[in-house]
Amino acid sequence: MNTIFVFLNFRIKQFFRSIREIGTPLFIILLIVTTGLTFKVLVFLSEVQGIEMAFFSFFIIASIHSTRKDSHFLKSLDVSRPLLFFAEYSMFLLPVSILLLFLGKMIPAIYWQLGMLPILFFPTGELKNNKVAPLLNLDKIPVKYFEIKLGSRKMFFVIVLLYIVALGCSFFIGTMILFSIFLLLIWPTLFEHFEPKEMIALEYEKGNFVKNKVANHFLIFQIALLPHYLMFLFYHREMWYLGLACFIGLGLGIIFNIVYKYASYRPNVPKMFSNSFQAIFLGTLLMPGFVIVSIGLIIYFWRKANNNLAYYYA
Amino acid sequence: MLEIKNLAVSYGTNEVLKNVHLTFESGMIHGVLGINGAGKTTLFNTIYGFKKPNAGSAQFQNRTIQNSDIGFMETSCYFYPLMTGMEYLKLLGIQNKDFDIKKWNELFELPLHEYVENYSTGMKKKLAFIGMMAMDRPIMILDEPFNGVDIESNEKLLQLLIRLKSTNKIIIIASHIIESLTRICDRINLLENGVIKTTFEKTEFPVLEKELKDSIKLKIDDVLEGLV
């Protein structure tokens, strides 16, 4: 019991440290973004009746559990692992349960907490991406889609799992919105790494580098998301404008991440380190009436990306 | 005594360990020597329970071995992001109330209040070693403990391991550095293609060193013939 207490104590410290690591200005921006997100989550939660909450918490915890890297470390601790997972995941899920209780939704709160129970007895980290990556035959993905290759290696299970879950839950009106927010949050991870300069030089020579990159990725991602849009329209035709908003939001997200990546590009630097503008973009995109700022950022960074690449490769 | 009986492990169709028989006695340092891919790490992972064997078992004091019997220092240990060295040691040494972290750290002088992610490879090794000492288990398995460690710490590690023999622990070490192994080990098992080829007692270590050097020379001569 003492081990679990010490472990949870560390996890809480780790959470606050990660906030400190982000830095105060970015934290304030993220706070604004998360306030907007919390509002949307509140609206979503007020419509949930019960069992769906267990379903959602199950998949959230399953995606965390299956990609944990600390299985060897935990094995060295003299503690019951299911009990440790139970304590850790309960703490992780608690804020939403408190929110639900605050809204007077006792049953969904209980379902939300209990959704993780089946996962506790499964070994962790069994679904490692590096185990499945060789089976995916990523070599067939052309080099110019470097980011898709990288994303598949890093987050294959999380993306596929949530893709299927979101598709399966499309009868529920909030799914498309939540799935879109999730995708907007992971786009930056896909685009944070810079490809080697030889790869850029090869494509740059063909002309319209940024434009082609944006068009190709926009097309690929939107085609991949087409089943979600269609299912949304199938179940909620009367709310078509919400589907359209998701389509536009996700599209803007793709464009922004590409132009921002090449605006910050430096040869021989492996990845982007500053993500302040990504937070501003996301914040303004999610807050009603501020979308114009997001579009303004896209225009600004598009120009900057072209100038930046021209400096190195023209 | 730790006894490995008929151990066979495979990854898919690739048989990594084949019918391995080994005996590790208390109060002794046992070396496991082998080239990359010989099966050393798989052997340790199987003893520790990370990998299920296809056949065979590991018995400690005439019962099936348990995790709580072993302190395992892996080739590269996992450290949580934003975790300090002190927190790592406190977590591992929670069951061992007598463990004096500060006293042990005098040996390696690690900045325990800094995040482990800022440590160098060698510092991480040393931290993992102190962590293993904090767990105070009867069996200690060290997979490549000398990799990335500076000369001074390497010497400290060697002397410490020699001293630990008096605590009656079973110490098992895998290393590529044969000089380190021959200096501290009482027995060295040569692992080749998943099979224990030979077990050398301390008196036979010069034979082992000569055999290894000769076999490497033979391979080099074979490959480089006509090239250099």
Side-chain angles (χ1 to χ4, degrees):
Chain A
M1 216 53 197
N2 199 13
T3 309
I4 294 175
F5 179 75
V6 173
F7 188 76
L8 292 186
N9 186 27
F10 158 66
R11 282 301 208 194
I12 294 165
K13 276 185 190 166
Q14 196 187 26
F15 171 73
F16 285 106
R17 280 171 190 164
S18 63
I19 289 175
R20 201 174 57 192
E21 288 287 307
I22 292 167
T24 318
L26 186 58
F27 177 67
I28 293 166
I29 293 162
L30 283 173
L31 199 68
I32 297 164
V33 175
T34 46
T35 309
L37 280 173
T38 314
F39 178 74
K40 281 181 187 293
V41 171
L42 269 169
V43 172
F44 157 70
L45 291 176
S46 64
E47 290 172 24
V48 166
Q49 292 307 308
I51 193 82
E52 296 93 335
M53 294 309 291
F55 197 61
F56 282 119
S57 71
F58 172 84
F59 280 102
I60 290 169
I61 298 299
S63 63
I64 295 170
H65 193 75
S66 60
T67 50
R68 284 182 82 123
K69 293 172 185 164
D70 57 354
S71 58
H72 283 203
F73 177 79
L74 293 179
K75 210 160 190 170
S76 64
L77 296 180
D78 209 0
V79 67
S80 153
R81 263 159 289 155
L83 205 62
L84 185 121
F85 294 142
F86 177 75
E88 193 184 3
Y89 296 146
S90 296
M91 195 174 73
F92 179 76
L93 296 169
L94 199 62
V96 174
S97 294
I98 293 170
L99 211 65
L100 283 164
L101 288 174
F102 182 71
L103 289 168
K105 293 184 175 293
M106 170 90 83
I107 302 296
I110 295 168
Y111 274 122
W112 175 256
Q113 283 295 136
L114 298 182
M116 55 144 166
L117 287 180
I119 302 155
L120 303 178
F121 301 94
F122 281 94
T124 59
E126 289 299 302
L127 296 173
K128 277 179 188 164
N129 284 328
N130 59 4
K131 280 187 184 170
V132 82
L135 306 173
L136 294 174
N137 198 3
L138 298 170
D139 292 343
K140 285 187 180 167
I141 300 175
V143 175
K144 62 180 175 180
Y145 301 120
F146 162 80
E147 292 86 354
I148 297 173
K149 225 177 198 178
L150 194 86
S152 307
R153 284 205 182 105
K154 276 169 86 174
M155 298 180 286
F156 179 77
F157 278 113
V158 179
I159 294 170
V160 169
L161 195 74
L162 282 161
Y163 185 93
I164 295 167
V165 171
L167 206 59
C169 297
S170 48
F171 56 87
F172 179 66
I173 197 155
T175 309
M176 185 73 210
I177 298 164
L178 282 176
F179 186 54
S180 302
I181 293 169
F182 163 76
L183 289 177
L184 283 168
L185 290 170
I186 65 159
W187 289 151
T189 332
L190 298 189
F191 292 96
E192 69 182 351
H193 290 271
F194 297 133
E195 55 268 58
K197 57 183 178 186
E198 291 78 11
M199 274 165 68
I200 298 181
L202 201 70
E203 290 298 315
Y204 194 84
E205 279 173 15
K206 295 173 188 167
N208 293 326
F209 178 82
V210 178
K211 195 174 153 190
N212 288 340
K213 184 115 187 171
V214 165
N216 289 337
H217 281 79
F218 185 89
L219 212 63
I220 288 171
F221 283 115
Q222 295 293 23
I223 288 171
L225 291 169
L226 197 61
H228 287 267
Y229 298 131
L230 292 175
M231 289 299 269
F232 183 83
L233 287 178
F234 179 75
Y235 284 113
H236 319 285
R237 195 171 303 160
E238 70 289 354
M239 305 282 268
W240 59 271
Y241 49 89
L242 272 181
L244 182 66
C246 289
F247 174 82
I248 295 170
L250 286 170
L252 290 176
I254 296 160
I255 301 168
F256 176 79
N257 278 293
I258 294 172
V259 296
Y260 184 60
K261 173 183 170 176
Y262 291 106
S264 347
Y265 170 78
R266 299 280 175 276
N268 302 325
V269 174
K271 64 184 274 194
M272 268 192 279
F273 290 104
S274 163
N275 52 9
S276 316
F277 280 104
Q278 281 166 336
I280 295 170
F281 170 80
L282 208 60
T284 51
L285 187 70
L286 294 171
M287 274 186 277
F290 283 86
V291 180
I292 193 76
V293 180
S294 305
I295 296 168
L297 283 172
I298 289 176
I299 297 167
Y300 171 72
F301 283 113
W302 193 309
R303 282 184 188 153
K304 212 176 162 193
N306 275 328
N307 292 337
N308 190 31
L309 289 172
Y311 177 77
Y312 293 112
Y313 297 103
Chain B
M1 191 168 73
L2 169 64
E3 254 189 303
I4 312 290
K5 292 176 185 169
N6 305 320
L7 200 71
V9 181
S10 59
Y11 290 99
T13 53
N14 184 19
E15 269 189 273
V16 182
L17 294 177
K18 299 159 202 164
N19 201 27
V20 171
H21 284 272
L22 278 170
T23 307
F24 299 110
E25 281 160 39
S26 303
M28 283 175 83
I29 302 180
H30 303 262
V32 179
L33 194 68
I35 57 163
N36 294 336
K40 302 185 295 288
T41 303
T42 304
L43 173 69
F44 293 163
N45 281 344
T46 314
I47 296 173
Y48 198 58
F50 289 149
K51 178 83 187 139
K52 270 190 183 167
N54 300 39
S57 63
Q59 300 271 317
F60 176 58
Q61 290 168 348
N62 299 320
R63 59 165 173 80
T64 307
I65 198 163
Q66 289 169 352
N67 268 140
S68 53
D69 296 322
I70 309 170
F72 184 17
M73 181 177 159
E74 293 180 76
T75 318
S76 56
C77 292
Y78 177 78
F79 299 102
Y80 288 96
L82 304 175
M83 182 186 228
T84 65
M86 183 61 92
E87 283 164 349
Y88 175 79
L89 294 178
K90 276 187 179 167
L91 200 55
L92 288 178
I94 204 155
Q95 309 289 348
N96 184 4
K97 288 194 172 70
D98 299 330
F99 189 75
D100 188 342
I101 295 175
K102 281 183 185 165
K103 193 81 190 155
W104 272 95
N105 190 43
E106 279 175 22
L107 196 66
F108 297 121
E109 294 164 344
L110 295 170
L112 290 182
H113 292 285
E114 281 183 25
Y115 296 143
V116 183
E117 62 210 59
N118 298 331
Y119 285 19
S120 68
T121 314
M123 286 159 91
K124 283 179 186 168
K125 280 264 173 198
K126 291 180 227 172
L127 182 70
F129 184 80
I130 304 177
M132 193 177 59
M133 295 311 302
M135 286 192 280
D136 193 27
R137 307 266 167 92
I139 303 169
M140 288 170 60
I141 300 178
L142 300 97
D143 195 359
E144 300 294 348
F146 312 112
N147 280 9
V149 178
D150 58 81
I151 302 168
E152 192 189 321
S153 304
N154 194 60
E155 184 58 33
K156 284 177 186 172
L157 258 177
L158 290 170
Q159 293 199 21
L160 181 61
L161 287 167
I162 292 168
R163 274 191 179 216
L164 281 171
K165 281 205 290 185
S166 61
T167 57
N168 219 27
K169 286 181 190 294
I170 297 174
I171 304 167
I172 310 167
I173 306 174
S175 177
H176 292 107
I177 308 166
I178 187 163
E179 289 79 12
S180 301
L181 283 187
T182 50
R183 195 175 137 197
I184 59 166
C185 290
D186 299 291
R187 192 180 284 164
I188 294 177
N189 301 286
L190 188 63
L191 192 62
E192 215 173 87
N193 296 321
V195 179
I196 297 293
K197 198 184 163 196
T198 328
T199 298
F200 294 88
E201 296 297 331
K202 195 146 189 110
T203 50
E204 299 167 314
F205 287 172
V207 181
L208 166 71
E209 282 179 289
K210 192 181 177 306
E211 246 183 49
L212 276 176
K213 277 176 190 163
D214 288 350
S215 96
I216 293 165
K217 192 178 177 306
L218 209 69
K219 273 182 200 166
I220 292 175
D221 288 347
D222 203 29
V223 174
L224 296 184
E225 198 182 333
L227 288 175
V228 182

